[in-house]
Amino acid sequence: MIPINRRLDKVSEFVQGEVLADIGSDHAFLPIYCIQNGTIQRAIAGEVIKGPYQSALTNVTTHGYQQQIDVRLGNGLTILQPTDHVDTVTICGMGGPLITRILTEGISYIPNQPRLVLQSNIQSEPIRRFLQQHGYRITTETLVKERAHIYEIIVADPGKMQLSDKDFKFGPYLHPEQNALFVEKWERELEALADIKQQLDPEKHHHRYREIETQENDIKEVLSQ
Ligand SMILES: C[S@@+](CC[C@H](N)C(=O)[O-])C[C@H]1O[C@@H](n2cnc3c(N)ncnc32)[C@H](O)[C@@H]1O
């Protein structure tokens, strides 16, 4: 078995069906792992940058999976074709805004509405807004800690949902549950905001200062529930 980190191992738990498209697949670790443990039959590994694309290609060849994993060079979901019959798309290890951009630019390439497993490093709010506007419903959310980082994993399937602003920001499954990782993540965010605030002059940077205070209050309110 290819060694895989805890974050991608957790992502792999949500992969379903026969065909996986892993977008931003620099080493193709996730597709190789999912083939090896029998989760999927075939995969497409997409990469936009040549160096990581070459690493993915080398890894797939080294492990002898050229028949099962097609490594493609190109932007986001635009590498996909209807004949690929993708069941799950994974987009991992990026910020929420970049994941959202990849989805926005490429949604027409996944008309069959595969399951989406989206693992963001920061700022998941735009992802949730995109999902609601494009016929997806969040079916699971989870947090995973690896070394010093706490990552969010959002799983979405075709359907409707109606989220509140609080849900968009904190996660419709994550904030009602408030597990230890959730509390740790948002307490850290509070510390980061306090650091930023300290460097601002409340008079001179009035607007930004107020913005941060609003964010702090939102987080405190959620954590106190
Ligand atoms: C930080 S790495 C994460 C790799 C792997 N998915 C993981 O979670 O460990 C992000 C990768 O996404 C690729 N990437 C960024 N934007 C992309 C896009 N629009 N289309 C395809 N790949 C992209 C980057 O080149 C990089 O290799």
Side-chain angles (χ1 to χ4, degrees):
M1 274 292 195
I2 196 167
I4 198 166
N5 59 34
R6 183 189 295 187
R7 175 178 59 86
L8 289 178
D9 185 30
K10 193 74 194 164
V11 167
S12 77
E13 289 179 18
F14 302 109
V15 172
Q16 66 175 23
E18 288 192 5
V19 184
L20 164 69
D22 183 41
I23 304 300
S25 195
D26 63 355
H27 290 87
F29 286 146
L30 184 62
I32 292 173
Y33 185 68
C34 288
I35 291 275
Q36 285 183 331
N37 65 19
T39 308
I40 54 163
Q41 304 299 311
R42 288 186 297 117
I44 295 134
E47 241 306 325
V48 76
I49 296 182
K50 272 204 177 141
Y53 161 79
Q54 282 299 342
S55 309
L57 209 53
T58 304
N59 274 342
V60 167
T61 309
T62 307
H63 288 86
Y65 289 123
Q66 301 95 311
Q67 296 303 315
Q68 292 100 324
I69 305 175
D70 188 0
V71 185
R72 298 180 189 169
L73 181 65
N75 181 24
L77 298 163
T78 67
I79 56 155
L80 299 176
Q81 289 147 15
T83 47
D84 290 327
H85 302 297
V86 171
D87 297 301
T88 301
V89 171
T90 48
I91 311 178
C92 304
M94 304 176 208
L98 178 55
I99 292 177
T100 309
R101 206 181 81 205
I102 290 174
L103 290 170
T104 306
E105 290 173 355
I107 190 75
S108 63
Y109 290 81
I110 47 169
N112 63 325
Q113 291 197 298
R115 162 172 282 201
L116 302 176
V117 185
L118 310 166
Q119 179 270 299
S120 65
N121 298 343
I122 47 159
Q123 293 175 31
S124 299
E125 181 170 344
I127 299 179
R128 297 191 183 97
R129 291 190 184 275
F130 174 92
L131 294 172
Q132 177 163 305
Q133 285 163 10
H134 290 83
Y136 271 97
R137 189 171 66 87
I138 296 174
T139 45
T140 310
E141 284 178 309
T142 193
L143 295 169
V144 59
K145 186 172 182 180
E146 192 177 54
R147 297 196 192 119
H149 289 280
I150 297 171
Y151 301 101
E152 285 183 345
I153 300 173
I154 299 174
V155 183
D157 291 299
K160 281 186 194 302
M161 62 179 177
Q162 201 59 48
L163 300 186
S164 64
D165 281 345
K166 194 196 278 181
D167 293 332
F168 282 130
K169 186 172 170 87
F170 297 98
Y173 288 92
L174 299 175
H175 77 79
E177 190 191 343
Q178 296 238 10
N179 68 19
L181 280 186
F182 179 90
V183 173
E184 188 178 338
K185 173 185 163 64
W186 289 105
E187 278 179 349
R188 279 193 202 173
E189 183 69 25
L190 277 179
E191 283 168 22
L193 289 171
D195 283 349
I196 299 172
K197 222 168 84 177
Q198 250 191 351
Q199 292 162 33
L200 296 177
D201 178 334
E203 308 276 301
K204 223 161 91 188
H205 310 107
H206 179 77
H207 184 69
R208 182 75 183 120
Y209 200 87
R210 287 275 161 275
E211 231 174 46
I212 290 177
E213 279 188 334
T214 307
Q215 286 182 40
E216 286 179 327
N217 290 339
D218 289 349
I219 296 170
K220 283 177 190 163
E221 193 196 311
V222 164
L223 290 180
S224 69
Q225 281 164 1

